[in-house]
Amino acid sequence: MEQRKKSVGDTGRPIGWRDVIRMGMGVLHLSPSAFWSMTFGEIGLALEAHRETQEMRERMDWERTRWLGTMIMQPHLKKGRKLAPKDLMQFPWEKPTKGSRNLTKEELRQQIAERDGWLN
């Protein structure tokens, strides 16, 4: 028997209608008519987008706090010394991923041309 991986907040019980309705109407603030007209796939995508939005807001809040800390510390540094926000702290989402490398200018231009090629 394959064992399911537990996620944060996982109670080990299956998700029921009560949970789906709470997420749709409570978390996503859907009206009953909008909720009942959606498929499970659409509700899942909406919840995923909501989670990503919340995560981006949290990141922006942390980055704003770090920037504020940098500005507060700046006048107390030795003359001529500059402090960048990343000097205080580097967040996990800012750390380079393993195996990543910097692109050359030509590689970057090629990727941009490929990306924007559909516009032509």
Side-chain angles (χ1 to χ4, degrees):
M1 187 166 126
E2 188 179 322
Q3 204 166 23
R4 203 176 100 215
K5 204 178 199 183
K6 281 198 165 195
S7 64
V8 176
D10 190 356
T11 61
R13 65 179 176 79
I15 294 176
W17 274 108
R18 180 180 170 88
D19 301 315
V20 175
I21 293 169
R22 287 176 63 201
M23 287 185 276
M25 293 185 199
V27 174
L28 297 175
H29 305 289
L30 297 170
S31 68
S33 61
F35 173 78
W36 289 109
S37 68
M38 295 174 76
T39 65
F40 283 122
E42 291 169 334
I43 292 172
L45 288 173
L47 284 167
E48 186 178 322
H50 176 72
R51 182 193 55 76
E52 289 172 359
T53 301
Q54 291 297 100
E55 186 176 312
M56 288 306 298
R57 280 189 187 136
E58 188 173 322
R59 285 183 180 191
M60 289 182 346
D61 289 344
W62 275 110
E63 289 174 9
R64 187 178 305 112
T65 301
R66 179 179 63 182
W67 176 83
L68 182 60
T70 304
M71 294 300 107
I72 289 171
M73 291 179 67
Q74 203 70 37
H76 304 287
L77 298 176
K78 290 182 181 177
K79 193 171 187 167
R81 170 93 160 82
K82 296 285 184 192
L83 185 66
K86 286 187 180 180
D87 294 338
L88 288 182
M89 169 185 242
Q90 188 175 27
F91 296 118
W93 57 85
E94 296 174 325
K95 293 180 181 173
T97 58
K98 289 183 179 179
S100 65
R101 64 179 181 85
N102 290 335
L103 298 175
T104 64
K105 284 184 181 181
E106 190 54 43
E107 290 172 326
L108 183 59
R109 283 189 186 113
Q110 182 180 357
Q111 283 192 1
I112 291 170
E114 289 172 4
R115 181 199 68 199
D116 294 343
W118 65 274
L119 293 173
N120 299 332

